[in-house]
Amino acid sequence: MKSFVALSLLPLISALPGHGKPKPAPLKYPGLDVLAKKAGLLYFGTAIDNVVLDNKQYISIAHNRSEFGQVTPSNGQKWMYIEPQRNVFNYTMGDEIVKPAIKAGQMRRCHTFLWHNQLPEWLTSQNWTKTELVGILENHIKNEARHYYDECYAWDVVNEAYNDDGTLRSDIWLDTIGKEYIELAFKFARKYTSPRTRLYYNDYNIETVNNKSTAVAALVKDFKKRHIPIDGVGLQAHFVTGSAPSYDQISAALKLFTKLGVETAITELDVRTQLPDSAEKMAQQATDYTNAVKACVDGDDCVGVTVWDFWDPVSWVPETFPGQGNADLLDANFTRKPAYYKVSDMLGSYD
């Protein structure tokens, strides 16, 4: 979902612990990914943003395979960075995340071919005909998919196409191409990615059974009926401490999709808190995190969990929700929070 970390944060990040200094990672075995695999998941992963790649301590944790067996580029594969000018492709930012993950033996969830946000000005500053925009969409997916061919376990093909009431979001894609833009994106993705790559629809506020999640389920059912390629649904899981969905609610939402024959994943998990924080809030946050992870572990065909970064200073939350923050598993000093330990203990209980 909202993964942008402003460049204005760079001076702040540079002043935080570990920036540019080779310190040993404080996280030791077995690690969340090791425990998740023992509990039956395919991976426990994290998003990584490019703005913090020169922080040695951060990187030592992000690419610690025992902690995070899967990596998602939070920004580097989005349209504005991949195709900043029409038919001019730049894979630098995506490669900065993907290549070290490959070297570390981590899986990759790739994100995202099509979104209404973070689009380049050349695309949004003029009017296109339907035929022109379909051609632009196919060309973009073709080039990016071929560059990362067989390097991604899954691709988030379409991201956040629905409003909370279950209607389709008005944007350049819907307004110009019509509702068929979603199936076209999946067809193009299947045409140009490896046959092994899972194709996902990804969205937020679908972690309970509601108007939005039932609309996504209807899309999946229709795609399956018409043999439009779709392999999974990603539930972003951007939650708020104390008002997150319950274990039962998340489990019901997962079943809404898996009963249609697709796999699911928790793709962008974080739990933001109204500041100032407190011991009580951290305890509740730990419960909210654990409910989401446990629902995936217990659910049929929920393959894994990705946290939307693990370190508070690079969270997207404070900029987007002023007065809220502390959404991740590790604080500014790289100290594990109660949420980390409660998730770890829960995963370990399945061993």
Side-chain angles (χ1 to χ4, degrees):
M1 184 184 149
K2 319 283 198 241
S3 56
F4 179 65
V5 176
L7 292 178
S8 61
L9 291 179
L10 284 171
L12 172 62
I13 292 170
S14 67
L16 288 167
H19 184 82
K21 299 177 183 179
K23 296 182 180 179
L27 306 182
K28 302 181 185 303
Y29 289 94
L32 294 175
D33 186 71
V34 171
L35 294 171
K37 285 182 167 67
K38 290 181 179 179
L41 296 182
L42 192 60
Y43 60 79
F44 193 102
T46 186
I48 300 177
D49 203 351
N50 299 75
V51 299
V52 75
L53 294 184
D54 60 350
N55 185 304
K56 299 269 197 308
Q57 188 169 4
Y58 175 92
I59 287 300
S60 70
I61 298 169
H63 289 299
N64 178 348
R65 189 175 62 181
S66 68
E67 200 68 57
F68 301 116
Q70 175 270 121
V71 162
T72 299
S74 60
N75 276 298
Q77 292 176 318
K78 290 176 181 173
W79 200 311
M80 67 183 291
Y81 301 113
I82 292 292
E83 193 180 358
Q85 301 175 54
R86 187 175 182 181
N87 207 34
V88 176
F89 293 87
N90 184 344
Y91 301 103
T92 301
M93 288 181 63
D95 288 353
E96 284 177 345
I97 310 296
V98 172
K99 288 184 177 180
I102 293 172
K103 185 177 180 180
Q106 296 167 300
M107 299 173 66
R108 284 79 56 197
R109 288 194 82 263
C110 293
H111 176 82
T112 175
F113 282 136
L114 185 64
W115 192 26
H116 67 276
N117 207 346
Q118 289 182 254
L119 298 172
E121 186 177 359
W122 70 262
L123 183 59
T124 59
S125 62
Q126 61 179 297
N127 295 322
W128 306 96
T129 67
K130 177 177 179 178
T131 300
E132 287 172 333
L133 195 58
V134 168
I136 288 169
L137 175 60
E138 179 171 11
N139 186 61
H140 179 82
I141 292 177
K142 176 182 71 175
N143 280 275
E144 188 168 17
R146 284 179 170 174
H147 180 81
Y148 293 107
Y149 190 84
D150 217 18
E151 292 184 353
C152 305
Y153 166 79
W155 264 104
D156 291 330
V157 178
V158 176
N159 195 50
E160 302 177 6
Y162 285 89
N163 298 308
D164 284 343
D165 64 1
T167 60
L168 285 169
R169 181 191 300 274
S170 176
D171 60 15
I172 184 175
W173 311 111
L174 180 68
D175 298 346
T176 306
I177 298 174
K179 66 180 182 180
E180 64 266 33
Y181 84 86
I182 301 176
E183 71 177 75
L184 286 172
F186 276 88
K187 288 176 179 177
F188 296 152
R190 183 74 294 151
K191 181 177 179 180
Y192 297 112
T193 59
S194 164
R196 289 180 288 274
T197 302
R198 310 293 208 277
L199 305 181
Y200 270 68
Y201 176 81
N202 190 56
D203 216 328
Y204 64 96
N205 287 354
I206 59 171
E207 303 85 13
T208 65
V209 178
N210 56 39
N211 289 337
K212 190 174 191 178
S213 61
T214 53
V216 175
L219 174 80
V220 173
K221 185 176 182 179
D222 175 62
F223 276 19
K224 286 290 188 178
K225 182 179 179 181
R226 296 192 294 119
H227 304 290
I228 307 299
I230 186 169
D231 303 304
V233 173
L235 292 75
Q236 292 185 5
H238 292 293
F239 296 151
V240 179
T241 297
S243 62
S246 68
Y247 166 85
D248 289 338
Q249 288 175 313
I250 299 169
S251 297
L254 291 169
K255 289 177 184 176
L256 191 65
F257 306 116
T258 55
K259 71 181 182 182
L260 299 174
V262 293
E263 67 184 44
T264 58
I266 305 294
T267 55
E268 304 185 17
L269 176 61
D270 55 19
V271 184
R272 63 185 183 269
T273 296
Q274 185 67 43
L275 302 176
D277 213 339
S278 68
E280 277 188 345
K281 291 177 182 179
M282 286 191 285
Q284 181 61 53
Q285 180 188 57
T287 296
D288 295 337
Y289 256 104
T290 303
N291 283 340
V293 179
K294 182 173 172 56
C296 185
V297 172
D298 292 344
D300 295 332
D301 295 322
C302 186
V303 298
V305 174
T306 306
V307 293
W308 208 240
D309 223 299
F310 59 90
W311 190 42
D312 281 341
V314 288
S315 170
W316 66 288
V317 167
E319 184 177 5
T320 307
F321 299 98
Q324 298 183 53
N326 292 4
D328 298 330
L329 292 174
L330 274 66
D331 68 16
N333 294 315
F334 292 102
T335 302
R336 304 176 192 181
K337 297 182 186 177
Y340 177 98
Y341 289 111
K342 190 159 188 172
V343 168
S344 178
D345 289 345
M346 181 275 295
L347 291 172
S349 72
Y350 286 83
D351 188 6

